Amino acid sequence: MSTLLIEQILNGLQYGAMLFLLASGLTLIFGIMGVINLTHGSFYMVGAFCAAYAATATGSFAAAVLAALVGAGLYGLVMELVVIRRLYARDHLDQVLATFGMILFTNELVSVVFGRTPPFMDIPSFLTGTVALLPGLSYPVVRLAFILVGAVVAVGLWLLITRTRIGMLIRAGADDRAMVDALGVDIRRLFSLVFALGAVLCGLAGVMTAPLLAVEIGMGERILITTFVVIVVGGVGSVRGAAVGALIVGMIDSLGRAYIPITLYELLPPEIASTLAAGLVSASIYVAMAAILLVRPRGLLPARG
Amino acid sequence: MSDSLTHSAAAAAAPRPGPGRRLVVHGPGLAIFAAMPAIAAAAGDPFVVSLFTRFLIYAIAAVALDLVMGYGALISFGHAAFFGLGGYVVGIIAHHAAETGTIFGLATSNSALVVWPVAIGLSALLALIIGALSLRTQGVQFIMITLAFGQMVYFMLVSLEVYGGDDGLLIMERNTLPGLDLSDPTVFYYLCLAVLACWLLLCRRLVGSRFGMVLRGLKQNERRAVNLGFAPLPHRLAAFVISGAGTGLAGVLWANYALYVSPDMAAWSKSGEFMSIVILGGVGTLFGPVIGAAVFLGLEQLLAIWTEHWMLVMGPVLVAVVLFARRGLYGFLVGERSHD
C-alpha cells in the first residue's frame, strides 16, 4: 500500500513538473498581455513531433532535445509575430477564435510535415531501466530524470523571475502593463521574449512526453485544457500559482488514477464501480477545479492582491 | 468593459443604417433556406438538403450560445454539454425502447411530444446547476469553470459503457410527430427550419424585453445596473438556463438527424466550434450565428471536397475573419454595429 502511494506521488511529481513547464509560459502570456492563447498546446505538440522525428533520424537524444526546443521556440516566435501580435488589443472572444483557428492550422501542418502516422521515440539508452528507491519499490530512471529536469527548470525560472532585471520587468508587466510601458520599457519586445520562452518550455515538455506517451495529432489540445485547469486553480497570471496548481493537478490525477477505482470497488457493486470509476478518474481534476473556484473564485494564489 | 460606455455613445452618434441593408441580407437568406429542398431536387443532389439541415441545427445551438455570450457577456466554454445531454436523452430512451420497452420502470415512448420536452427539461436543469455554480466566478474563471463542467459531462458520457461508452449509441429511428413523417429528409428539414424560426422569434422577444434590457445593461456596466436596483445573478442565471435549454433542443434535433449520439457531442472542441460560429457570424446579433453556422459548416464541407488538408485553409480563414471583419460576417454584411 505505501509503495503504491510513494510511486503515485512520484508519478504525480513528474506529471506536475511537465504541467508546470506548460503552465508557467501560458500564465505569463495571459498575465502580461492578456492574451488567451489556445495554441500554447500546439507548441508542445510541435516539440514532441520534432523530438521524435530527430530521434528517429539521428538516433541521438541530444539531437531530439535540440530539435524540440528550437522547433517549438521558432514556431512560437513566428506565431507571435504573424498572429498573436495583432490580438493584444482585442477582446477575449477574438483571441479565442483566432487561436482556435491556429490550432486547426497547426494540427494539419504537423500532419503534412511529419505524416499522419506518429513517429515513435524510444527511451534513450542511458535512461532505461529502473532504480530501487526502497525495498520493494523500483522506479523508472527516465521518470526520475524528468522530475529532476522539471525541478531544475522550475528553480531556474523562479530565479529568472525573482532575481533578474528581466524577471522584474516580467513581474511588473504582469501586474500593470500600462505602467511598465509608461516607464519606457518596450513591452512588446519583452512580450515576444516571454512568448518565445514559453514556447521553448513547451518544447521541453514535448521532449519529456515523447518517450512516455503516444506522440499524436491532437495531443496539444488535451494537455492545453489540463494546463488551463492548472493556471486557473493556481491563480491566473502568477508563476507561483502555476507551480502550486501544477503540483495539485499532477497529484490529484495520479493519486486519483490509483485510489478512486480501489475505493469505489470496496464501496459499490463491481459493475457500477467500474463505470463510475472510469468517469471519475478522468473528471477528477475538473471536479477539484470546480470545488476550488467555488471557494476561491480567483484561484489559490492570484497575481494581483 | 470600461470602454463600453464610450462605445455605445459612439454607436448612437453615428448615423444608423436604415433597415434597407438588413432586408437585403435577410430576404434572400430566408428565401434560400425556404426553397432549398426544391433547389436540391432540381439540381438532383439530395445531399444538399442534409447539409442544410446541419446548418439549421447548428444555428439553433449558436443562437442559444449567443444569448448568453453576446447579450450577457458570459463566455461559456461548456455549451456542448447541453448539446450532448439533449442528444443522449433521445439516444438513451430509444435504446431502452429497443431493448426492453421500459426505462427505469416506465413505459418508453417514441413520440417527440414526450421525448423532446424531457430532453429540453433535463438540459435546462443541468444548465441551472452549472449556471448557479459557475456564475459565482467572472471573466476567465467563468470561461474555465464552464469548460470544466463541460468536461465532466463529456467524461461521464465516455464512461457510460451501457450506452456505448466511447463508441456512442446508434438510434434506430427518428422520433414521431403526429401528422408528419420525420424520416422524410425534406419534412425533417422543414421541421428544423420551423424550430429555428420559432427559436429566433422567442430570442428576439426575449432580448427586446425588460429582461433582455437588464441583461444588456449588466453587460455594459454592471455597477450601474446594480445601482439601478437590478440583481445580476437571477437575470444571468435565467439567461443561462434558457440558453442551455435551446442548446439541448439542438442536441435533440441532431440525434434525430444523425441517428447516432457519441460523447464527441459534448467534447470541448464542440464548444469551441459553437463559439467560433457565433464569433464568425457576429456576437450580439441573432441572425449572425445563423450566417456563421452556414458559412462555418459550408466552408468546412467545400474545403474538404477541394483538399484533404482543408484545416490548413480553414484555420487562417478564421484568423482573417477575426483580424479583418471585426464585427463578424453579419456586421460586415449589414454594416451596423452589433448590439451591446
Side-chain angles (χ1 to χ4, degrees):
Chain A
M1 194 69 177
S2 65
T3 50
L4 175 67
L5 181 64
I6 295 171
E7 195 175 341
Q8 289 307 320
I9 288 177
L10 286 171
N11 283 344
L13 270 180
Q14 190 241 321
Y15 188 40
M18 204 200 75
L19 286 176
F20 175 71
L21 294 181
L22 296 163
S24 51
L26 189 65
T27 203
L28 281 177
I29 289 165
F30 186 82
I32 298 179
M33 297 310 271
V35 178
I36 295 188
N37 175 29
L38 298 186
T39 44
H40 202 69
S42 302
F43 305 145
Y44 161 82
M45 177 183 68
V46 168
F49 268 85
C50 287
Y53 186 77
T56 318
T58 66
S60 148
F61 186 64
V65 174
L66 192 68
L69 299 185
V70 172
L74 271 182
Y75 191 66
L77 199 59
V78 169
M79 180 86 77
E80 200 273 334
L81 294 174
V82 176
V83 180
I84 306 286
R85 184 153 275 235
R86 296 165 213 282
L87 297 172
Y88 298 158
R90 301 302 192 78
D91 65 21
H92 292 338
L93 277 177
D94 285 354
Q95 297 164 358
V96 166
L97 179 58
T99 54
F100 182 75
M102 291 316 291
I103 288 184
L104 300 182
F105 175 78
T106 310
N107 279 342
E108 204 56 40
L109 184 70
V110 166
S111 79
V112 168
V113 172
F114 294 102
R116 287 212 179 267
T117 43
F120 184 76
M121 185 174 165
D122 282 320
I123 296 173
S125 55
F126 64 96
L127 290 178
T128 50
T130 59
V131 57
L133 290 180
L134 283 174
L137 172 66
S138 52
Y139 198 73
V141 177
V142 65
R143 284 182 179 266
L144 279 180
F146 287 166
I147 295 175
L148 191 69
V149 171
V152 167
V153 172
V155 171
L157 204 60
W158 178 74
L159 286 175
L160 174 79
I161 288 167
T162 56
R163 293 282 184 272
T164 65
R165 187 181 145 73
I166 291 268
M168 182 189 76
L169 293 176
I170 290 175
R171 273 180 295 141
D175 274 346
D176 193 336
R177 186 193 343 159
M179 184 61 79
V180 176
D181 205 27
L183 288 173
V185 176
D186 187 347
I187 192 96
R188 289 190 145 215
R189 206 168 60 196
L190 176 72
F191 180 70
S192 296
L193 190 92
V194 173
F195 199 88
L197 177 69
V200 168
L201 290 176
C202 287
L204 185 61
V207 173
M208 288 170 52
T209 307
L212 299 179
L213 300 171
V215 175
E216 57 190 353
I217 306 291
M219 63 192 285
E221 285 93 275
R222 237 170 295 132
I223 202 79
L224 173 79
I225 303 286
T226 313
T227 309
F228 270 120
V229 173
V230 166
I231 67 171
V232 168
V233 163
V236 173
S238 133
V239 177
R240 273 190 316 152
V244 171
L247 279 179
I248 291 177
V249 170
M251 287 300 166
I252 289 177
D253 185 82
S254 89
L255 293 177
R257 254 166 235 291
Y259 290 104
I260 288 176
I262 295 177
T263 317
L264 286 180
Y265 275 104
E266 276 174 12
L267 295 175
L268 296 168
E271 66 273 13
I272 299 177
S274 70
T275 299
L276 206 57
L280 268 185
V281 165
S282 311
S284 60
I285 59 166
Y286 303 102
V287 176
M289 161 168 143
I292 289 172
L293 283 189
L294 292 178
V295 183
R296 299 196 53 143
R298 299 184 60 225
L300 295 173
L301 298 168
R304 270 157 262 187
Chain B
M1 284 306 124
S2 60
D3 61 346
S4 45
L5 260 183
T6 50
H7 268 187
S8 42
R16 289 186 72 84
R21 272 179 79 175
R22 238 187 295 177
L23 271 180
V24 171
V25 174
H26 292 187
L30 191 65
I32 291 172
F33 271 113
M36 187 42 61
I39 298 172
D45 192 354
F47 173 72
V48 180
V49 176
S50 168
L51 183 65
F52 268 67
T53 310
R54 260 188 272 163
F55 293 175
L56 294 173
I57 297 173
Y58 269 66
I60 294 168
V63 171
L65 178 59
D66 200 29
L67 200 59
V68 283
M69 210 162 86
Y71 294 92
L74 303 169
I75 306 177
S76 164
F77 210 150
H79 252 54
F82 310 122
F83 190 68
L85 181 68
Y88 262 82
V89 170
V90 173
I92 288 173
I93 293 180
H95 176 77
H96 281 275
E99 298 273 305
T100 59
T102 58
I103 180 166
F104 308 128
L106 298 170
T108 55
S109 167
N110 193 35
S111 167
L113 295 177
V114 178
V115 177
W116 295 12
V118 170
I120 295 168
L122 287 175
S123 302
L125 183 66
L126 180 68
L128 181 68
I129 297 168
I130 293 181
L133 294 171
S134 306
L135 283 168
R136 295 170 52 108
T137 63
Q138 282 189 330
V140 196
Q141 278 81 4
F142 181 81
I143 302 179
M144 291 303 144
I145 198 167
T146 48
L147 173 69
F149 281 116
Q151 290 294 96
M152 285 182 221
V153 171
Y154 170 76
F155 286 120
M156 279 302 155
L157 295 181
V158 169
S159 70
L160 285 177
E161 302 277 343
V162 203
Y163 303 121
D166 239 347
D167 297 329
L169 202 55
L170 282 174
I171 299 169
M172 289 307 157
E173 52 183 351
R174 288 183 181 155
N175 293 126
T176 53
L177 262 182
L180 291 177
D181 177 17
L182 296 191
S183 59
D184 180 334
T186 309
V187 173
F188 188 69
Y189 173 84
Y190 278 118
L191 177 74
C192 291
L193 186 60
V195 171
L196 174 63
C198 293
W199 179 231
L200 278 171
L201 277 177
L202 177 74
C203 288
R204 205 173 152 177
R205 288 292 298 271
L206 214 58
V207 298
S209 70
R210 183 175 172 278
F211 169 80
M213 294 298 174
V214 175
L215 202 59
R216 284 146 71 178
L218 282 166
K219 178 193 170 187
Q220 277 188 8
N221 187 333
E222 179 167 345
R223 194 186 293 172
R224 182 179 60 193
V226 169
N227 283 334
L228 286 171
F230 299 110
L233 187 64
H235 288 91
R236 289 186 172 142
L237 189 56
F240 199 83
V241 170
I242 296 167
S243 170
T247 314
L249 172 63
V252 166
L253 290 173
W254 182 264
N256 274 281
Y257 162 77
L259 292 175
Y260 168 69
V261 290
S262 77
D264 279 344
M265 285 178 78
W268 81 276
S269 51
K270 189 66 73 188
S271 298
E273 240 170 77
F274 289 152
M275 211 187 274
S276 300
I277 286 171
V278 174
I279 307 168
L280 186 65
V283 180
T285 66
L286 287 177
F287 292 96
V290 180
I291 298 175
V295 170
F296 190 93
L297 297 178
L299 199 61
E300 201 176 274
Q301 195 69 42
L302 274 181
L303 292 174
I305 294 169
W306 178 48
T307 162
E308 180 198 351
H309 305 297
W310 59 274
M311 283 196 291
L312 223 41
V313 186
M314 186 74 176
V317 166
L318 292 181
V319 177
V321 169
V322 170
L323 294 181
F324 303 115
R326 294 191 61 162
R327 293 159 301 174
L329 292 173
Y330 184 77
F332 181 72
L333 289 171
V334 177
E336 64 184 82
R337 288 194 60 83
S338 60
H339 300 284
D340 46 19

